[in-house]
Amino acid sequence: MKITKEEAQEMLSDERFPRSGKYDPQWVLANQMGPNALWLTESLCGRMTLEPGMRVLDMGCGMAMSSIFLAKEYGVRVWANDLWISAADNHKRIVEAGLEDLVTPVRAEAHSLLYEHDYFDAAISVDSFHYYGTSDTYLSYFTSFLKPDAQVGIASPGLIKDFEGDLPTYLTEEDDRGDSFWEPKEHWSFHTANWWRNHWEHTGVVSIEHAAAMKDGWSIWLKFDEVAVAAAEPMPLLGPPDQNTGNALRADRGEYLGIIEINARVRE
Ligand SMILES: C[S@@+](CC[C@H](N)C(=O)[O-])C[C@H]1O[C@@H](n2cnc3c(N)ncnc32)[C@H](O)[C@@H]1O
């Protein structure tokens, strides 16, 4: 890490996320794959009721930081499901955290799940659902693994409002390596809170309890990105963070970019 642990701790401390502040900053930065997974999980869980022993599916958990957080903070049993990160890799982190009795790592594609139906009491997805969950039928498939009345929480980067006309140039301008913030293959799955609300409501399988952009989400995302860039800790699969995310967020200042959060319950 290019900054000291104390500097990272100071930069990451945020009174909005007291539980996340207890975690080793080096661990958080070494396992980051986007906006701080702990902050997003803590925010989602603030609107959920999680009791020890509940079965929770953590879909697209990446390096399983959110799964470890759920087990440590709430005593729930977690299935840490990811595609790009292997179960063996996540198992190492789970054992290091002393949580092998509570967290089970699983490598599975989001459309090929082998869980029992009506199995989970809750499911969360952090910075992940937009990669696989935007089709009209996915929510019904996903919730088939959850019990009636189970809680669902997703937090993902998304849009504050839809674009009118062309994308702002600050999203598409290329750096000296030819990379830009906006990658068409990924970012057209960014949507507004209202888009998610309508998309989920018309399926009839959940009741929406909350669908909104996180307050100051862009600045929370930027704050974490700035620590990640200063620490220059390589991101899993991607290498050191570049300046594109920070530049886009600083230019946008929350006009289009933000963090979208949805909490819902599976209908009986
Ligand atoms: C940007 S990373 C975020 C990881 C983690 N939740 C975090 O916030 O650090 C997106 C994650 O979504 C997962 N993912 C993407 N497509 C998936 C799919 N089709 N099935 C299951 N997981 C998927 C990837 O494996 C990846 O770890």
Side-chain angles (χ1 to χ4, degrees), residues 31 33-35 37 59-62 81-85 108-110 126-128 131-132:
N31 294 308
M33 293 177 76
M59 194 60 184
C61 68
N81 191 120
D82 201 61
L83 180 63
W84 304 341
I85 307 299
E109 203 284 322
V126 169
D127 186 12
S128 172
Y131 286 94
Y132 46 77

Side-chain angles (χ1 to χ4, degrees), residues 139-216:
L139 184 68
S140 303
Y141 170 75
F142 184 67
T143 54
S144 70
F145 303 100
L146 311 187
K147 296 177 184 172
D149 207 38
Q151 304 164 76
V152 187
I154 72 166
S156 271
L159 299 180
I160 303 301
K161 62 179 184 185
D162 285 314
F163 299 110
E164 288 154 13
D166 293 341
L167 290 173
T169 49
Y170 56 77
L171 296 181
T172 53
E173 65 202 359
E174 294 182 353
D175 63 14
D176 46 19
R177 293 183 308 183
D179 297 330
S180 59
F181 169 78
W182 192 267
E183 291 172 16
K185 268 196 223 151
E186 178 185 340
H187 290 99
W188 286 112
S189 64
F190 278 17
H191 292 292
T192 63
N194 267 343
W195 184 93
W196 283 105
R197 176 189 284 282
N198 293 336
H199 192 58
W200 281 21
E201 256 172 3
H202 75 233
T203 66
V205 298
V206 293
S207 3
I208 309 276
E209 295 181 331
H210 176 91
M214 184 188 277
K215 186 170 181 304
D216 299 327

